[in-house]
Amino acid sequence: MDLKSNHASPVLTDPAPINKLRLGIPSGLLALLPHSQPGALFSSSKYVTIPRKKTGMINDVRSNGWLDAMKSSSPPRKKLIKDFNVEAALDDADIASCSWVLKYPSALSSFEKIIDRAKNKKIAIFLDYDGTLSPIVDDPDRALMSNEMRSAVRNVSKYFPTAIISGRSRDKVYELVGLKELCYAGSHGMDIMGTLSHSHVSNDHSNCIKPNEKQGKDVSLFQPAREFLPLIDEVFRTLVENTKGIKGAKVENHKFCASVHYRNVDEMNWPTIAQCVHDILKDYPRLRLTHGRKVLEIRPVIDWNKGKAVEFLLESLGLSNRNDVLPIYIGDDRTDEDAFKVLREGNRGYGILVSAVPKETNAFYSLKNPDEVMKFLNSLVTWKHDQTKSVIHRRSIE
Ligand SMILES: O=P(O)(O)OC[C@H]1O[C@H](O[C@H]2O[C@H](CO)[C@@H](O)[C@H](O)[C@H]2O)[C@H](O)[C@@H](O)[C@@H]1O
């Protein structure tokens, strides 16, 4: 595997919205990419290209990001804060965490504020799967949601239109969630099945497959990346073949996208897996790279993402462009940021980031983990149940 090629890399990655992920690549992985250097060029398009160094040699800790990687991995400095004669040893992480929660308050502690805004509005719930409904585990095939979480999601869907929007294939995430009452969007929103009322789906959604008897009369499919199916299949097979020698690597085919996992790969082999994916993708300019949680997500270069899927589902449910609707999207990963962005635009709804550590995000609120997600969903159900009961009671005494 040639680490010294000196041509500019055509590999496109999603724009890095956060200086910490300069190229949309976690600093640990970025530092290990050949010729990655600070301040990558931002091409006119929205993607970032990684310029290859002329010499093709990695010869400066700054230029290849090793220093960044070392800094981000070194233990945070302890700071002593004298306050009321009490010395609290807060490290940078504690201080960063406190300021982060001020910026992205807990959706649990802000619950009253959220339902206050939801009064007289129709809430629509959009849920990511991995890291949101199920905890992050080493093996993607063992990422199961608990029965308690399943009950919480089922109860939410009794009161609010509810959709799952996942990077996994739609079939796979339907199998994992196992609730037929919901709408599902797999492949990072590129494969949507839901009860779409056609009066709301504008005719220009040419990829909308009309219902058939087998699926049920009011169920439709929307697959904007259908033309990419053969390409994804081909790249998937190549990725499997070319990574099979890397211990711990796992490649998944999600129909309209693919994932290369390095969670179980020894960190010293990260440059190998990164280079391997990079060398494959450079021959596919119609595919792009997005970084998830220790996973390299390969997706078609189309103007479609989880944010577009939220907008499509709202429109298909007759809930778009209405000020009496409050969409809430709960997610944990980089690709969920597209949905957070849509809801932040025009302040039309709430994105809730699931993260135990501070991360720059377009979300409004935060939750620490799937357990807190479940608490939040159950709180919504209790609130709606009580509200419905009091309305019925009021009507009965009128
Ligand atoms: O959009 P999502 O539903 O959150 O799916 C995103 C990716 O989730 C899965 O990978 C992540 O979870 C795995 C199981 O906990 C974990 O092992 C992996 O490191 C995480 O990245 C799934 O396997 C990916 O294909 C999805 O794209």
Side-chain angles (χ1 to χ4, degrees):
M1 191 170 298
D2 170 18
L3 288 175
K4 296 184 177 57
S5 54
N6 55 5
H7 57 279
S9 160
V11 175
L12 302 178
T13 62
D14 274 352
I18 303 153
N19 55 15
K20 282 250 180 350
L21 293 171
R22 276 191 311 284
L23 304 176
I25 297 176
S27 50
L29 190 56
L30 172 78
L32 304 175
L33 267 175
H35 319 306
S36 59
Q37 44 195 324
L41 299 178
F42 281 79
S43 60
S44 55
S45 76
K46 64 178 185 175
Y47 297 117
V48 171
T49 54
I50 305 171
R52 289 224 179 262
K53 290 177 66 61
K54 291 281 173 288
T55 63
M57 300 297 289
I58 296 182
N59 52 18
D60 173 353
V61 285
R62 281 180 302 284
S63 67
N64 65 27
W66 284 105
L67 217 49
D68 292 347
M70 287 165 75
K71 280 182 191 159
S72 63
S73 62
S74 62
R77 282 176 299 113
K78 290 281 178 192
K79 265 187 198 152
L80 286 183
I81 295 181
K82 287 195 190 323
D83 191 1
F84 305 108
N85 300 325
V86 173
E87 279 189 5
L90 285 175
D91 63 23
D92 290 352
D94 299 333
I95 293 167
S97 179
C98 295
S99 59
W100 188 77
V101 171
L102 287 175
K103 193 174 174 188
Y104 306 103
S106 161
L108 290 175
S109 53
S110 309
F111 188 74
E112 291 306 318
K113 202 186 276 186
I114 293 171
I115 55 168
D116 190 44
R117 183 173 170 196
K119 276 200 183 84
N120 309 319
K121 289 184 191 277
K122 191 178 184 61
I123 293 179
I125 299 286
F126 299 92
L127 301 166
D128 167 52
Y129 180 76
D130 289 276
T132 298
L133 299 182
S134 74
I136 294 293
V137 294
D138 286 346
D139 180 357
D141 295 330
R142 302 171 71 85
L144 307 176
M145 64 194 272
S146 66
N147 289 332
E148 294 79 9
M149 177 66 92
R150 187 167 288 104
S151 301
V153 176
R154 182 188 292 112
N155 291 335
V156 158
S157 70
K158 286 175 184 165
Y159 290 105
F160 313 107
T162 304
I164 304 291
I165 304 187
S166 170
R168 292 181 184 251
S169 71
R170 181 170 46 77
D171 289 345
K172 182 66 184 172
V173 74
Y174 175 69
E175 178 196 322
L176 289 166
V177 175
L179 294 171
K180 58 182 184 310
E181 307 90 310
L182 314 181
C183 295
Y184 289 86
S187 308
H188 292 296
M190 291 182 281
D191 188 4
I192 301 178
M193 176 184 271
T195 47
L196 312 181
S197 48
H198 288 293
S199 55
H200 297 297
V201 180
S202 52
N203 298 327
D204 65 359
H205 281 304
S206 54
N207 292 294
C208 195
I209 302 166
K210 301 291 177 279
N212 62 42
E213 280 317 304
K214 182 166 161 289
Q215 288 164 326
K217 61 182 185 320
D218 66 344
V219 167
S220 290
L221 267 184
F222 178 65
Q223 299 173 327
R226 291 176 66 76
E227 65 178 291
F228 287 88
L229 276 175
L231 200 62
I232 294 295
D233 253 352
E234 181 184 310
V235 164
F236 168 72
R237 285 196 302 275
T238 311
L239 287 165
V240 169
E241 180 58 28
N242 291 18
T243 59
K244 66 184 181 186
I246 304 172
K247 190 168 180 292
K250 179 185 179 69
V251 186
E252 292 177 300
N253 186 337
H254 300 313
K255 192 167 185 170
F256 298 107
C257 56
S259 302
V260 181
H261 291 276
Y262 57 92
R263 185 174 293 275
N264 303 319
V265 175
D266 188 311
E267 195 161 336
M268 63 177 282
N269 292 327
W270 285 11
T272 309
I273 198 164
Q275 186 68 52
C276 182
V277 173
H278 184 276
D279 288 350
I280 292 168
L281 282 191
K282 71 178 187 303
D283 298 329
Y284 293 91
R286 299 182 72 210
L287 298 179
R288 62 176 161 146
L289 197 62
T290 307
H291 288 269
R293 300 177 68 170
K294 292 201 171 55
V295 64
L296 307 177
E297 308 274 21
I298 288 108
R299 294 187 288 166
V301 176
I302 61 168
D303 182 18
W304 197 267
N305 52 45
K306 288 191 172 187
K308 297 282 188 184
V310 168
E311 290 179 321
F312 178 89
L313 284 163
L314 285 170
E315 179 190 343
S316 59
L317 293 164
L319 301 177
S320 57
N321 302 321
R322 286 173 46 174
N323 54 19
D324 62 343
V325 174
L326 183 67
I328 296 177
Y329 184 104
I330 308 179
D332 73 310
D333 215 336
R334 287 286 305 283
T335 56
D336 298 306
E337 289 295 329
D338 293 317
F340 294 154
K341 233 178 272 174
V342 159
L343 297 189
R344 182 174 277 272
E345 276 154 14
N347 191 20
R348 57 199 289 202
Y350 288 139
I352 301 176
L353 174 69
V354 184
S355 179
V357 295
K359 280 183 192 172
E360 275 311 298
T361 178
N362 290 292
F364 261 93
Y365 294 105
S366 63
L367 289 167
K368 287 198 180 80
N369 50 44
D371 281 348
E372 287 203 347
V373 171
M374 188 168 69
K375 282 195 188 100
F376 179 77
L377 296 178
N378 286 332
S379 304
L380 280 178
V381 170
T382 305
W383 163 70
K384 194 64 184 175
H385 174 74
D386 294 350
Q387 192 197 49
T388 311
K389 244 172 72 176
S390 66
V391 167
I392 293 168
H393 175 67
R394 260 205 315 277
R395 286 191 184 142
S396 68
I397 57 175
E398 279 168 358

